[in-house]
Amino acid sequence: MSYLYLAIAIVSEVIGTSALKASEEFTRLVPSLITLIAFASAFYFLSLTLRTIPVGIAYAIWSGVGIVLISLIALVLFGQKLDTPAVIGMGLIVAGVVVINVFSKAVAH
């Protein structure tokens, strides 16, 4: 269940970040409200995740998956393109998340 909570937290954070861009510095009401609700949801579900997944592992997954998802959303919705070093860097981040999940024996206490 913890990984489901983490997935919900990640998706909520990506929605919040996308709405933050669309809020135009909190000058548009609907995207601003979506931002606030999405981030509140993200932190709530992250807190549920931390019951069983160590904070460092959860945050590594959160940030790694979040970076890739928000970059894809930025490309599709806002036309923002990444250069080769950015793509390579994100690949290394994803590789790090895979290494953590496959090889780490860390547990929450």
Side-chain angles (χ1 to χ4, degrees), residues 11-96:
V11 169
S12 295
E13 188 268 335
V14 169
I15 290 168
T17 302
S18 300
L20 182 61
K21 168 75 173 147
S23 77
E24 297 178 11
E25 300 172 359
F26 291 105
T27 60
R28 297 180 57 218
L29 180 62
V30 173
S32 297
L33 291 174
I34 292 170
T35 297
L36 296 173
I37 292 166
F39 277 116
S41 172
F43 287 118
Y44 173 73
F45 282 100
L46 181 61
S47 75
L48 296 178
T49 299
L50 298 179
R51 291 178 183 166
T52 56
I53 300 175
V55 68
I57 304 257
Y59 199 78
I61 295 167
W62 162 299
S63 59
V65 174
I67 286 169
V68 171
L69 289 178
I70 199 62
S71 295
L72 291 172
I73 299 261
L75 174 67
V76 172
L77 294 182
F78 305 115
Q80 298 174 354
K81 295 182 180 159
L82 298 173
D83 60 8
T84 301
V87 172
I88 291 169
M90 283 195 287
L92 291 170
I93 291 168
V94 170

